[in-house]
Amino acid sequence: MNKVPGSSQSMLHQRIAALRWALPLMMVALVMLYQLVIMRWVHDTMSDPLHFTVEVIFYATTGPILAYWVLNRIRSWLVEKEDAERRARTHEQRLASITAASADAILSLDPQGMILSWNRGAELLFGYSADRMLKQPLTQLLSGEDAAEIELQWLSETARQQGFVRGHETACRRIDGSEAMVELTATHIQGDQGTSVILRDITLRKQREEEIRRLNTSLNEQVADRTRELAEKVEALARANAELQKLDQMRADFISLVSHQVRAPLTNMRGAVEQMQVSCPVALTLTCAQMFSIVSAQMDRLDRLVSDVLDAARLEVEPILVQAEPLSILPVIRQAVEQMRARRMDHPIRLPTRPGLPLVDADRERLVGVLVNLLDNADKYSPPGGEIGIDVRADETEVTVSVRSSGPGIPEADLERIFDKFYRVESGDSQRAYGYGLGLYICRRFLEAQGGRIWAENRAGGGCVFSFALPVWEGE
Ligand code: ADP
């Protein structure tokens, strides 16, 4: 820190004033010390000539030594003062050049608010030269005359009371009449010598802030609009969803109602037909036997349709219950084939003969259902004379069962889609066969619920193969 010259001057005065008293006091103290202590000892122990010599030496040296010491002190204090003054001058010059070169406007005001200094930054900011503005009131710069007087008074008063005013934003007039927004810092100069004022141009910042505020407002409006639109859409979606749920429920209710209403009379009809066959008193004619057989086949078909529709409807709303157990696949295949044969199939079935297969982890009833479905399809879609074959193979993780049939096969594009709900191949042959596109969909869902999978392929020599794989039972 540079010492202020004023303070070093007053310190020098104080030191010299103190020395004015200290010097005589020190001399008195020395003489008294000599006279009271040393001289007595010299007087008692030394001869008179020696005693005289000591006294002469004491009085002749003490005064000059003290004077030398005092002058030396004063000299070093003067050097110190000169140093402090030099440093202060350099500091002042540096401050003055910083003030002059500053991009901010730096002014000093007298206690009446008249401008005493006007730097280059002020010239650049307001366009006025120093000659024009020196001795002019600061109110000339501030916008609004009466308000400017009040503002200046408030600034000087607050700066006087608190020492400074910082970050005060106000509007000033430039030489061309345009308005400049400034951030003002006023500092009270000690000794009531006026106020120093720094003005920083914040016009651009204010314009940007205004722009950001405007953008923000428009953004908020846009967000509010979008939110409103979204809320309306969400409401419409919720309404549509509720409507859909209602429709879905109605559909499920309708399917369940129709299926049950159909199934009950169907069961009664089956019972009645069987009763008629058994209790007929006379032997049936060939035509009658054929009619009974047709009625029975049609009832089977209707029964399968009802149970498929019920299964598909249930798959939509509830999880599939699987009662998995370790199963040997060959007996399951035989059970399915027997069920099919009881229905009088049009094509012969070749059964697999492969002992030593691992057990599968599956639900017996559902597995029989899947096999019956695949065999029924093979019977339905194979041309007369074609044979149906069942193959089984296994590896360490899966047992795979394939049902192969003859015929034209399935278009490549449909090999995946035939497992979708209600999907049927649009070829004339397929459409002629009785069906409704639910069987393979149900098979896929049942197998997937048991950790299995199903797929279809075309055979090189014609016809197709439907295969499904199930995980090997891993228990003991
Ligand atoms: P549906 O047989 O009642 O139409 P599925 O879901 O069982 O319904 O079969 C879907 C479609 O797959 C059938 O319409 C048929 O076109 C085709 N498909 C199924 N199995 C065979 C098969 N063995 N041979 C040829 N096409 C088949």
Side-chain angles (χ1 to χ4, degrees):
M1 266 275 287
N2 290 304
K3 276 187 188 162
V4 185
S7 76
S8 83
Q9 193 131 1
S10 67
M11 195 184 287
L12 183 65
H13 285 162
Q14 283 167 13
R15 282 172 167 177
I16 290 176
L19 211 58
R20 204 168 52 188
W21 292 104
L23 184 61
L25 282 174
M26 277 159 67
M27 287 195 74
V28 168
L30 265 174
V31 169
M32 281 173 74
L33 178 77
Y34 180 74
Q35 288 292 329
L36 296 174
V37 183
I38 305 168
M39 201 187 90
R40 201 167 282 207
W41 177 75
V42 169
H43 198 269
D44 293 347
T45 55
M46 294 179 190
S47 62
D48 271 355
L50 207 55
H51 164 213
F52 177 72
T53 313
V54 169
E55 214 159 67
V56 167
I57 291 171
F58 175 77
Y59 286 112
T61 56
T62 316
I65 287 172
L66 266 175
Y68 175 78
W69 175 77
V70 166
L71 288 172
N72 219 21
R73 285 296 335 130
I74 292 175
R75 187 188 138 273
S76 71
W77 290 341
L78 282 171
V79 169
E80 240 178 60
K81 178 181 163 256
E82 268 171 26
D83 273 359
E85 280 174 353
R86 198 174 46 250
R87 279 201 300 273
R89 262 197 311 279
T90 318
H91 180 63
E92 233 165 54
Q93 278 163 4
R94 199 180 307 134
L95 265 183
S97 58
I98 289 172
T99 308
S102 169
D104 291 331
I106 302 176
L107 328 176
S108 60
L109 308 179
D110 69 9
Q112 283 71 45
M114 296 297 184
I115 298 169
L116 293 181
S117 68
W118 180 263
N119 74 338
R120 196 179 65 94
E123 272 184 27
L124 289 174
L125 176 52
F126 299 109
Y128 296 109
S129 67
D131 295 343
R132 170 108 180 255
M133 290 309 288
L134 290 180
K135 307 255 171 54
Q136 298 300 315
L138 181 70
T139 44
Q140 260 198 20
L141 278 183
L142 302 173
S143 300
E145 281 177 14
D146 293 345
E149 283 290 345
I150 298 169
E151 193 175 8
L152 186 60
Q153 262 178 23
W154 173 82
L155 276 172
S156 336
E157 201 50 44
T158 317
R160 190 175 301 122
Q161 282 168 8
Q162 297 176 1
F164 58 84
V165 174
R166 194 183 284 158
H168 173 69
E169 290 180 3
T170 187
C172 291
R173 290 253 158 253
R174 292 197 188 95
I175 194 166
D176 58 7
S178 64
E179 193 173 68
M181 283 305 294
V182 294
E183 188 182 84
L184 183 152
T185 301
T187 311
H188 179 66
I189 302 173
Q190 272 183 354
D192 224 359
Q193 291 182 50
T195 316
S196 78
V197 176
I198 300 174
L199 299 158
R200 171 162 295 173
D201 188 1
I202 55 166
T203 316
L204 210 63
R205 193 181 90 194
K206 282 280 153 197
Q207 281 167 0
R208 286 197 183 132
E209 278 174 11
E210 187 49 43
E211 183 72 4
I212 288 170
R213 206 170 300 126
R214 212 174 48 72
L215 285 174
N216 248 346
T217 317
S218 107
L219 209 70
N220 282 343
E221 279 166 10
Q222 281 177 25
V223 168
D225 284 353
R226 295 286 168 282
T227 313
R228 219 178 5 259
E229 278 170 24
L230 261 178
E232 279 165 18
K233 281 185 181 144
V234 166
E235 213 175 291
L237 265 177
R239 272 200 305 273
N241 196 26
E243 196 67 27
L244 272 176
Q245 274 177 1
K246 216 163 99 188
L247 284 175
D248 211 43
Q249 188 55 44
M250 276 165 67
R251 184 184 60 103
D253 290 350
F254 179 73
I255 288 174
S256 155
L257 181 85
V258 170
S259 306
H260 287 108
Q261 296 301 325
V262 173
R263 185 163 260 183
L266 207 59
T267 314
N268 295 343
M269 274 162 69
R270 188 191 297 281
V273 170
E274 278 167 10
Q275 197 62 38
M276 274 164 71
Q277 269 177 310
V278 174
S279 49
C280 222
V282 285
L284 291 176
T285 61
L286 187 63
T287 319
C288 274
Q290 275 174 348
M291 288 304 129
F292 271 126
S293 161
I294 289 170
V295 169
S296 170
Q298 292 306 313
M299 279 190 309
D300 276 353
R301 188 179 275 183
L302 252 179
D303 192 45
R304 277 208 305 283
L305 167 65
V306 171
S307 75
D308 276 358
V309 169
L310 271 179
D311 278 344
R314 252 187 240 118
L315 286 175
E316 295 293 305
V317 288
E318 55 190 55
I320 304 166
L321 286 177
V322 174
Q323 284 174 343
E325 55 180 323
L327 286 180
S328 173
I329 198 76
L330 290 179
V332 179
I333 294 174
R334 248 176 265 127
Q335 185 182 338
V337 170
E338 272 158 29
Q339 272 191 32
M340 283 304 296
R341 281 185 181 147
R343 289 186 195 168
R344 283 179 289 279
M345 291 178 70
D346 298 332
H347 300 85
I349 303 178
R350 182 189 288 264
L351 277 169
T353 46
R354 276 204 56 182
L357 287 167
L359 299 180
V360 289
D361 186 14
D363 181 319
R364 173 183 283 273
E365 206 183 310
R366 301 227 185 269
L367 207 49
V368 171
V370 168
L371 274 162
V372 166
N373 220 310
L374 295 182
L375 290 171
D376 186 45
N377 277 352
D379 192 42
K380 248 186 343 188
Y381 298 110
S382 293
E387 189 189 70
I388 300 169
I390 304 176
D391 300 310
V392 191
R393 62 184 187 279
D395 61 21
E396 279 170 10
T397 54
E398 286 178 331
V399 172
T400 307
V401 181
S402 303
V403 176
R404 87 190 116 73
S405 53
S406 45
I410 298 165
E412 288 295 316
D414 290 328
L415 283 173
E416 289 269 334
R417 300 187 63 194
I418 49 175
F419 296 98
D420 291 347
K421 198 166 33 167
F422 295 119
Y423 191 80
R424 302 198 75 211
V425 175
E426 279 184 10
S427 76
D429 287 349
S430 284
Q431 294 290 330
R432 268 195 294 277
Y434 174 81
Y436 29 88
L438 279 177
L440 289 178
Y441 164 72
I442 294 169
C443 289
R444 176 172 66 83
R445 295 291 306 270
F446 281 171
L447 285 163
E448 283 173 357
Q450 296 174 72
R453 59 204 166 88
I454 184 167
W455 66 99
E457 292 158 302
N458 282 318
R459 293 168 67 203
C464 54
V465 188
F466 281 83
S467 308
F468 65 86
L470 283 165
V472 165
W473 169 258
E474 282 180 349
E476 287 296 307

